[in-house]
Amino acid sequence: MTTLKESFRGQRMATIPESLLAKYKDDSLIGLLFLRKIGYFPHAKYHHVKKNDGCSYALLIHCTDGEGWVEIFHKRITIHKHQYIIIPADTPYSFGTDNSNPWTIYWIHFCGKLINTFAPSLVEPRAKDVSPAESSRLQERTHIFEEIFSSFSMGYIREYMAYSSMCLYHYLASFIFLEQYRDFPSQAHTPPTLIDRMMHYMNENVSQNLSLQDLSQYFHYSPSHISAIFSKQTGMSPINCFLRIKIQKACYYLELSNLKIHEIASTLGFSDPAYFSRLFHKIMKVSPQNYRNNEKAVPVKD
């Protein structure tokens, strides 16, 4: 894997050589749809890209915080939080962040014989909404991204590259067929309670910094009333619960990923890694690094 020098704190990016991509292009399985590059840029201030002649690949940008813009067909499109856009191949474009409210983006470059199926060149791109909702599956989409990133990072081995390509269909479908993606049947057969709905909403926004006011506005209760209901049934305040959900997710990353601690902090919406570490220690009674040392899975030798 080739990785460029970090430009934004918490940035991750993976790519493989063009010579290897040319080989995969002719592969009967991979060549239909495959990645060229993948990345995650948190709070990417001063981020700007311009391609006067377009590119041979399509580009998906998914904004999860802040905002930015894409200029294409002489039209500037604002990309807000919880929106995405797909830029087709061979189309001149430029894009950039809003420096006063820098975007956080997940992005992929993808190629293959089916590229126009997922990014038709004759359709004018526009920003589309994938905001959190009671039927949304934001965390599952993020898990798919992480699985693709991990597998693509091993792309020198054909089987890993093939697996990342297979996962790419699911990832793109989660945007393009949003209604069908969200219509995946729930295991629950009873209507969710307010607490169920709040817990789901907090899990879906684990990378954000929700306030009590945010929760009260979304669920149409006053801050004091929604706090009282939640505290009575759970024994803790909504924000205290939300912070514990963040730390629970941090444990997942510490155990099952190779993300650095400051990258995990950034992924979970903490701008200050030191504060994240203090909060983690307060809740888990151990530092993030010691938790990783104690809990990270170690392969068992035969």
Side-chain angles (χ1 to χ4, degrees):
M1 178 182 70
T2 303
T3 305
L4 296 186
K5 185 176 179 181
E6 180 174 290
S7 299
F8 315 109
R9 186 165 192 159
Q11 168 185 316
R12 290 184 290 138
M13 184 170 68
T15 185
I16 58 177
E18 292 290 340
S19 57
L20 192 54
L21 288 174
K23 177 182 177 180
Y24 286 141
K25 182 179 179 181
D26 295 328
D27 186 286
S28 59
L29 177 63
I30 300 171
L32 296 175
L33 187 72
F34 61 97
L35 288 166
R36 174 184 175 273
K37 190 178 290 189
I38 184 171
Y40 168 74
F41 288 175
H43 309 294
K45 195 171 185 179
Y46 306 120
H47 181 215
H48 179 262
V49 173
K50 186 173 185 179
K51 299 288 185 180
N52 290 329
D53 298 320
C55 299
S56 60
Y57 52 83
L59 168 62
L60 181 146
I61 300 172
H62 176 205
C63 177
T64 59
D65 201 10
E67 64 181 62
W69 53 270
V70 171
E71 192 167 290
I72 190 166
F73 300 132
H74 308 291
K75 177 182 177 182
R76 177 168 288 214
I77 305 165
T78 301
I79 312 296
H80 297 286
K81 174 180 173 179
H82 297 312
Q83 290 188 327
Y84 79 94
I85 191 168
I86 298 178
I87 301 174
D90 303 315
T91 306
Y93 67 84
S94 61
F95 63 76
T97 191
D98 181 327
N99 290 326
S100 62
N101 185 24
W103 62 11
T104 292
I105 57 173
Y106 291 84
W107 55 267
I108 57 170
H109 296 175
F110 60 97
C111 317
K113 297 179 179 67
L114 296 179
I115 187 173
N116 288 331
T117 302
F118 294 92
S121 58
L122 299 178
V123 177
E124 184 173 338
R126 61 185 179 88
K128 297 183 180 180
D129 191 81
V130 285
S131 294
E134 292 179 33
S135 61
S136 59
R137 299 164 63 195
L138 303 186
Q139 293 307 306
E140 293 179 52
R141 182 184 289 115
T142 301
H143 290 163
I144 299 169
F145 178 92
E146 294 296 344
E147 199 160 341
I148 293 172
F149 189 99
S150 177
S151 188
F152 179 70
S153 297
M154 299 284 288
Y156 285 100
I157 302 171
R158 179 192 177 274
E159 287 73 17
Y160 281 96
M161 187 66 179
Y163 183 70
S164 71
S165 294
M166 297 301 97
C167 291
L168 180 57
Y169 285 91
H170 192 188
Y171 188 66
L172 290 172
S174 77
F175 292 98
I176 297 169
F177 301 107
L178 183 64
E179 180 180 350
Q180 290 75 21
Y181 176 70
R182 291 185 169 184
D183 197 38
F184 186 80
S186 170
Q187 297 300 315
H189 297 287
T190 57
T193 66
L194 174 62
I195 304 303
D196 293 334
R197 294 164 59 206
M198 290 179 67
M199 293 290 287
H200 176 82
Y201 188 72
M202 287 190 279
N203 272 285
E204 290 290 79
N205 283 279
V206 72
S207 63
Q208 309 302 322
N209 291 307
L210 292 179
S211 66
L212 184 58
Q213 187 68 31
D214 293 328
L215 292 170
S216 66
Q217 288 179 353
Y218 185 83
F219 290 101
H220 306 293
Y221 285 88
S222 71
S224 59
H225 188 46
I226 201 170
S227 182
I229 294 173
F230 193 93
S231 298
K232 181 179 180 179
Q233 295 194 37
T234 66
M236 68 181 77
S237 71
I239 298 306
N240 191 11
C241 180
F242 183 49
L243 292 175
R244 289 175 181 272
I245 289 172
K246 284 177 176 283
I247 296 306
Q248 182 183 52
K249 181 63 69 173
C251 291
Y252 168 87
Y253 286 129
L254 288 166
E255 289 186 48
L256 301 177
S257 82
N258 293 318
L259 294 179
K260 297 177 181 177
I261 290 172
H262 73 87
E263 292 174 337
I264 294 173
S266 177
T267 299
L268 294 173
F270 293 97
S271 59
D272 182 358
Y275 170 68
F276 163 74
S277 294
R278 290 195 302 270
L279 180 66
F280 189 96
H281 191 280
K282 179 180 179 180
I283 293 175
M284 300 300 297
K285 310 303 181 186
V286 65
S287 71
Q289 187 59 59
N290 285 339
Y291 181 90
R292 168 169 272 169
N293 294 341
N294 294 335
E295 303 294 336
K296 190 169 179 65
V298 178
V300 177
K301 296 181 179 181
D302 295 330

